[in-house]
Amino acid sequence: MSFALRRAGGADAPAVRQLFHDSFTATFGHIYPPHELADFLAEMSDARFRAACEADDHAVMLAEGPGGEPLGYCMLGPQELSAYIPDLLEGRRWWVLRQLYLSEQGKGTGLADALTDWAIAEARARGMQDLYLTVWVENHRARRFYDRHGFVEVGKYPYVVGSTVDDDRILRLIL
């Protein structure tokens, strides 16, 4: 399947939100009590994604199929990590690959690689020295993917959904 990448703007927020909701639920929905997952997803609103798509300190790349259907996206931006890896962050310019989610149709197409390549290039273009991300310790497929792209584990991060605290790892790529 072919795809095209383009910058997401505010008008793309509903499509980006839907990609997030669908992919997050398919990948992680089994971890959380249903009512807590529903509350978490409700917080991930169109308005929240619109703000990220329009913010100067964020960048969102949307992938679309030949018919314009959304296949995935990648979001870069700030995230508070200094409490977890303060020595690594001090005095450096860094950014976080906050989200990379694909539809089921987007998986296995090379799209994740293309979005990751864009994220690395975008971080470099903005003068960042490091790119960080967090990944759930049990998401072995994602971990292998990020290892292949040169990210290395540098710390732990508690990802909270409702009353569940996931054991995430912080990964770093020196740019």
Side-chain angles (χ1 to χ4, degrees):
M1 169 183 285
S2 64
F3 55 83
L5 302 181
R6 68 173 177 82
R7 292 287 180 134
D12 296 307
V16 174
R17 180 201 47 81
Q18 193 63 54
L19 282 164
F20 174 80
H21 282 221
D22 293 347
S23 184
F24 189 89
T25 300
T27 306
F28 306 113
H30 67 284
I31 301 170
Y32 311 110
H35 69 282
E36 291 183 359
L37 176 63
D39 291 346
F40 174 77
L41 292 175
E43 292 174 14
M44 301 298 171
S45 64
D46 285 355
R48 187 171 183 159
F49 282 97
R50 184 174 302 105
C53 288
E54 294 175 347
D56 291 337
D57 64 348
H58 282 69
V60 181
M61 183 62 69
L62 179 63
E64 297 174 319
E69 67 278 11
L71 296 176
Y73 76 96
C74 181
M75 180 187 297
L76 298 165
Q79 182 174 336
E80 185 52 50
L81 296 175
S82 59
Y84 307 102
I85 50 171
D87 295 340
L88 294 176
L89 300 176
E90 191 172 325
R92 297 188 59 84
R93 289 185 43 81
W94 56 277
W95 222 6
V96 178
L97 193 165
R98 295 182 56 106
Q99 297 171 351
L100 194 161
Y101 287 100
L102 305 180
S103 67
E104 288 303 312
Q105 300 86 346
K107 293 179 180 175
T109 64
L111 177 54
D113 287 314
L115 287 169
T116 301
D117 291 346
W118 166 79
I120 292 167
E122 182 70 13
R124 284 184 176 136
R126 293 203 187 197
M128 301 300 168
Q129 295 169 295
D130 303 307
L131 184 60
Y132 290 89
L133 60 86
T134 65
V135 64
W136 182 43
V137 72
E138 295 295 323
N139 192 345
H140 303 295
R141 180 179 182 183
R143 182 59 189 266
R144 285 190 305 272
F145 174 81
Y146 292 123
D147 288 348
R148 199 175 74 234
H149 282 275
F151 286 85
V152 296
E153 184 176 326
V154 295
K156 295 180 180 184
Y157 180 79
Y159 190 86
V160 179
V161 175
S163 62
T164 304
V165 180
D166 293 332
D167 183 11
D168 279 20
R169 296 297 189 251
I170 300 171
L171 307 182
R172 174 190 192 192
L173 178 66
I174 298 173
L175 301 173

